[in-house]
Amino acid sequence: MDRTKDLMARADRSLANTYARFPVILQRGEGCRVWDVDGKEYLDFVAGIAVCALGHCHPALVQAVQTQAARLHHVSNLYYIEPQISLAELLCRHSFADRVFFCNSGAEANEAAIKLARKHAKDHGNEKRFEIITMESGFHGRTLATVTATAQAKYQKGFEPLLPGFHYVPFDDLTAVERALGPQTAAILVEPIQGEGGIRIPSEGYLQGLRKLCDEVGALLIFDEVQTGIGRTGRLFAYEHWGVEPDIMTLAKALGGGLPIGAMVAREEVAASFTPGTHAATFGGNPLVTAAAFATLTTLLEEDLVFRAAQMGERLLQELRKLQAAHRAVKMVRGKGLLIGMELDREAKPVLARCLDGGLLLSSAGEKVIRFAPPLIVSEGEVRQAVGVLDTVLREVTG
Ligand SMILES: Cc1ncc(COP(=O)(O)O)c(C=O)c1O
């Protein structure tokens, strides 16, 4: 405990105060479990917020990182490197996309998408076509452009003036999009399932409707799959649930299995608006992170973890629905694959704190929603264990 207190005091003195952290110092991980500096074990249903798809320290990922770190860890995009090419090929082979731009985070991938949409409109002679329509309660990142795209006042307050050219409409409301859409619209940017906004799944026909509206006015459709992509929802990409292909898609989080990498993928005709010098990132897709992402994606595919996410997700959903029936504090449970939200009638934070004490890591998505996003390798026994801890905590909290 002294070690924890000492490190927290040092953190308080040296780190920027941007995170409301839980009072625990994590030190080691394996599979779906992590251990703190005092040796206490936790079942990890956060997975670095939908990042560690293969769990912690998966041998394939460790091996890939160790080998690449010892061979060549960084050069520059002035030169070609094989892991980057192989990863781009893999992403294109398994999605609608023809080309990939690599960067370092979800926000950066969305920045690239926003820039590409604007450039694409200009390249087609539409000087006044620069508006991006985004959805209320969406989340796209913390840079100035992506926080502007994030139609939630709590993330924007204090950072004004925001970027011009963004228009917000309610999520899952096609009529509102129809009203907002026009010759000024360069693109619609939307999460197929809203993550940070509380794990919100759109109605049948919504994403198909967006595709149709974009096609009618010649706007691009951008899917932010930073949280939903790479198997999380029981399909490799969430858009597959609805059979709707975007023009651009953004990825990060699980792509590198825990190493920082983002990607913006696009159809050939759209990607053509990025030419040498138009966009860049020093670290974007460097040998180390692309080798890690290649290992993550190939392992995920070889071990059929996307199917497993669908299966285990269904199992977890069933168990959580039983908790809903047993606890009046639980208002709703919803999700796809291993991205599930449990909406409470109260703030989630105190429940999360008690789960932590009980050896279960969980995060929230919005104030009242508990998010379940375990590694895709999670077992049935681990699902049962997590639900058991939560059941006890809910009983304590609600009496
Ligand atoms: C849907 C979505 N887009 C973008 C981001 C931003 O990603 P990053 O934190 O890697 O910049 C997030 C992060 O939570 C996200 O959930």
Side-chain angles (χ1 to χ4, degrees):
M1 221 41 202
D2 284 351
R3 185 93 199 282
T4 300
K5 277 203 185 120
D6 178 46
L7 282 164
M8 280 175 61
R10 282 168 57 196
D12 277 350
R13 286 193 298 270
S14 57
L15 294 177
N17 193 20
T18 47
Y19 303 101
R21 292 183 166 94
F22 290 100
V24 59
I25 317 271
L26 298 177
Q27 190 176 49
R28 187 169 71 80
E30 192 184 323
C32 293
R33 290 168 199 277
V34 289
W35 288 263
D36 70 15
V37 285
D38 297 315
K40 181 176 170 180
E41 181 180 307
Y42 302 85
L43 186 54
D44 184 4
F45 268 47
V46 177
I49 313 192
V51 167
C52 304
L54 302 182
H56 298 281
C57 300
H58 190 290
L61 180 56
V62 171
Q63 177 70 53
V65 170
Q66 284 177 342
T67 305
Q68 192 60 50
R71 183 181 292 152
L72 182 74
H73 62 274
H74 181 78
V75 280
S76 154
N77 284 306
L78 290 169
Y79 313 101
Y80 294 100
I81 48 163
E82 189 171 347
Q84 192 183 84
I85 299 163
S86 301
L87 179 62
E89 284 174 345
L90 198 57
L91 286 171
C92 293
R93 196 177 317 136
H94 290 277
S95 75
F96 71 94
D98 303 304
R99 287 187 187 266
V100 182
F101 172 82
F102 287 113
C103 52
N104 310 290
S105 68
E108 258 189 84
N110 285 327
E111 283 273 347
I114 292 163
K115 284 180 73 176
L116 181 61
R118 284 187 171 187
K119 181 82 171 32
H120 180 261
K122 293 217 167 26
D123 286 353
H124 289 76
N126 296 314
E127 273 301 313
K128 294 201 175 116
R129 191 190 270 267
F130 57 81
E131 201 169 272
I132 313 275
I133 296 176
T134 66
M135 309 305 157
E136 287 167 13
S137 64
F139 187 86
H140 301 292
R142 303 293 200 128
T143 63
L144 210 44
T146 57
V147 91
T148 306
T150 297
Q152 297 196 59
K154 67 176 177 188
Y155 294 114
Q156 299 177 338
K157 200 166 175 296
F159 300 114
E160 302 87 348
L162 301 173
L163 216 67
F166 286 81
H167 191 108
Y168 309 140
V169 296
F171 182 60
D172 203 18
D173 182 345
L174 279 178
T175 314
V177 175
E178 212 170 337
R179 246 183 267 125
L181 206 68
Q184 78 287 0
T185 313
I188 294 176
L189 168 60
V190 61
E191 296 158 84
I193 296 172
Q194 287 193 332
E196 298 306 300
I199 320 297
R200 291 167 196 243
I201 304 168
S203 314
E204 265 324 302
Y206 176 65
L207 296 174
Q208 291 91 330
L210 290 182
R211 179 70 273 176
K212 191 162 166 279
L213 288 173
C214 280
D215 292 344
E216 278 167 14
V217 301
L220 298 178
L221 182 59
I222 307 170
F223 284 165
D224 177 342
E225 293 233 24
V226 166
Q227 187 154 162
T228 54
I230 317 293
R232 171 67 41 202
T233 70
R235 293 290 179 95
L236 191 55
F237 303 108
Y239 71 76
E240 296 170 23
H241 288 291
W242 292 277
V244 180
E245 291 186 352
D247 302 294
I248 302 174
M249 172 171 70
T250 54
L251 300 168
K253 287 196 181 280
L255 179 58
L259 270 84
I261 177 169
M264 184 214 58
V265 309
R267 288 195 295 109
E268 181 73 50
E269 185 269 329
V270 177
S273 284
F274 269 180
T275 51
T278 45
H279 196 55
T282 294
F283 291 120
N286 88 5
L288 189 64
V289 295
T290 45
F294 186 78
T296 300
L297 203 49
T298 42
T299 305
L300 208 115
L301 294 168
E302 276 166 20
E303 296 187 1
D304 212 3
L305 294 180
V306 183
F307 178 64
R308 192 190 174 83
Q311 250 183 345
M312 283 300 150
E314 201 46 51
R315 196 64 225 263
L316 179 56
L317 203 61
Q318 277 171 12
E319 294 297 318
L320 294 176
R321 292 220 161 108
K322 285 186 203 157
L323 291 193
Q324 181 186 356
H327 299 279
R328 60 190 160 71
V330 181
K331 286 177 67 182
M332 195 199 263
V333 177
R334 55 183 178 251
K336 272 199 190 295
L338 285 169
L339 185 61
I340 299 177
M342 173 184 267
E343 189 171 334
L344 303 180
D345 65 354
R346 64 197 69 203
E347 271 194 29
K349 200 90 203 255
V351 177
L352 305 184
R354 284 191 181 230
C355 285
L356 179 87
D357 291 342
L360 172 65
L361 303 188
L362 282 170
S363 67
S364 59
E367 262 176 31
K368 295 183 175 173
V369 177
I370 300 176
R371 168 177 29 205
F372 301 81
L376 307 190
I377 58 164
V378 71
S379 70
E380 214 163 317
E382 285 161 338
V383 164
R384 270 199 304 273
Q385 188 187 341
V387 171
V389 173
L390 183 60
D391 189 20
T392 307
V393 167
L394 285 172
R395 209 169 306 127
E396 284 167 10
V397 168
T398 51

